[in-house]
Amino acid sequence: MYNGNAGARNLLREIDDVSFAMDEVRLFLDTHPKDTEALANFIALRKKREGLLEEYRAAYGPICAYSAGGRTAWNWVEGPWPWEGEA
Amino acid sequence: MWTYERRLQYPVKIKCPNAAAAKVIISQYGGPDGEMGASMRYLSQRYAMPYRPAAGLLTDIGTEELAHLEIVAAIVHQLTRNLTPAEIKAQGFADYYVDHTVGIWPQAAGGVPFSATAFQSKGDPITDLVEDMGAEQKARTTYDNILRLMDDPDVIDPIRYLRQREIVHFQRFGEALGMVREHLNPRNIYACNPAFDKGCGK
């Protein structure tokens, strides 16, 4: 998550959008577990999100705590935190 | 367990600090119908939920409420940063500032600390789900009240998002209540506790 980087910002917005769609469909599936259309929708969104998260991680750093790392220094603590409103 | 994602569920980017607005909005952090109580309510109620899909819903909404707690904190944080002591005084924030500076602490708008007495975990799935529907309405009303007091579009936008989520959660809890009623013993017409009175309705 790097300050002032438009590419990072746009990719993060895409991740937010697809993640929110999954948050919404997840709750719907909890009370409609046999709705196959919603289920297919969730799986399609999941695949899209996995790709976007990996793209972000490779270019700008980790979003998920389990995907943190770094070549020479711990990248989990680099860049602004989400509540700073700068990403 | 839980894990963190380095992003807000909905972005918050506020350009103009406004401590008076922060003082009202902090009620949805630690107030009686705020996100902290919401998350603790649903996550605590799971253990007495005998019907697994409904326990899943409590897990997922309880988790989403943690994300909302973070959004509310981000709003309060961004509304109170870079203020001078004079601005803090002029914007009516001195009574919060004296104890917490501009750190985030769970309290209601009136200064009452967060209390677990604002929610119940009753050990009865019917009772709990009915409380949850009421809780979502109370939170929605609070966001409506906040929206009437705000004029900054940077603040209104994420508050509207949070308000909308209360409506979706209310809908889902209503469906869960219907599922629990249908799935558990259909002869339990007196709605005795299906998590505790195993033979009720028989």
Side-chain angles (χ1 to χ4, degrees):
Chain A
M1 217 181 255
Y2 294 110
N3 202 357
N5 184 316
R9 195 162 51 237
N10 292 339
L11 190 51
L12 185 62
R13 286 297 90 87
E14 269 192 81
I15 291 166
D16 287 344
D17 287 353
V18 72
S19 304
F20 174 66
M22 291 178 76
D23 294 339
E24 181 72 325
V25 180
R26 183 187 308 108
L27 299 188
F28 180 84
L29 280 165
D30 287 346
T31 56
H32 305 79
K34 291 180 178 159
D35 189 312
T36 52
E37 193 185 335
L39 185 57
N41 193 354
F42 188 88
I43 291 165
L45 290 163
R46 190 187 75 200
K47 286 177 182 158
K48 186 176 174 197
R49 184 180 131 99
E50 283 164 359
L52 291 170
L53 281 175
E54 179 49 29
E55 190 184 337
Y56 192 99
R57 189 201 61 76
Y60 308 110
I63 285 179
C64 304
Y66 282 107
S67 64
R71 271 186 292 274
T72 57
W74 179 229
N75 64 12
W76 181 240
V77 293
E78 285 174 7
W81 288 97
W83 54 86
E84 296 177 43
E86 287 169 18
Chain B
M1 67 87 70
W2 274 264
T3 183
Y4 190 66
E5 294 206 356
R6 236 175 177 284
R7 61 186 189 89
L8 297 181
Q9 192 193 25
Y10 191 88
V12 176
K13 199 166 180 158
I14 295 166
K15 292 181 282 292
C16 307
N18 180 345
K23 205 174 166 184
V24 167
I25 291 168
I26 202 164
S27 235
Q28 286 301 73
Y29 193 78
D33 303 308
E35 304 290 356
M36 183 170 289
S39 184
M40 294 305 106
R41 174 188 296 112
Y42 308 141
L43 295 178
S44 300
Q45 288 175 353
R46 299 182 297 161
Y47 307 94
M49 177 53 73
Y51 185 53
R52 285 182 181 146
L57 186 70
L58 288 168
T59 303
D60 293 336
I61 297 184
T63 300
E64 185 177 340
E65 305 294 12
L66 284 177
H68 296 175
L69 186 68
E70 187 184 35
I71 292 171
V72 173
I75 293 170
V76 173
H77 168 65
Q78 292 182 28
L79 282 171
T80 54
R81 63 183 167 188
N82 306 321
L83 288 171
T84 65
E87 287 168 329
I88 283 166
K89 259 169 94 174
Q91 296 174 19
F93 204 63
D95 47 359
Y96 182 94
Y97 166 84
V98 71
D99 288 324
H100 312 291
T101 323
V102 290
I104 301 290
W105 188 71
Q107 68 162 49
V112 180
F114 173 73
S115 169
T117 56
F119 68 86
Q120 251 297 11
S121 176
K122 203 69 178 173
D124 181 321
I126 306 278
T127 307
D128 283 348
L129 285 169
V130 172
E131 152 142 349
D132 300 346
M133 293 176 71
E136 294 294 334
Q137 289 294 341
K138 289 186 280 180
R140 195 263 311 148
T141 300
T142 310
Y143 282 123
D144 279 336
N145 292 342
I146 290 170
L147 284 169
R148 289 188 200 102
L149 297 171
M150 296 298 138
D151 47 23
D152 180 351
D154 290 349
V155 177
I156 288 170
D157 184 52
I159 296 288
R160 271 200 188 131
Y161 167 82
L162 293 167
R163 178 194 183 276
Q164 191 60 28
R165 298 309 292 156
E166 309 300 346
I167 294 166
V168 172
H169 294 171
F170 174 78
Q171 170 74 19
R172 297 281 98 88
F173 280 132
E175 290 161 358
L177 180 59
M179 290 166 87
V180 168
R181 280 198 173 124
E182 277 171 31
H183 190 81
L184 299 174
N185 191 332
R187 285 179 296 172
N188 182 9
I189 52 171
Y190 296 111
C192 46
N193 185 351
F196 196 78
D197 306 314
K198 300 297 181 195
C200 73
K202 281 181 183 157

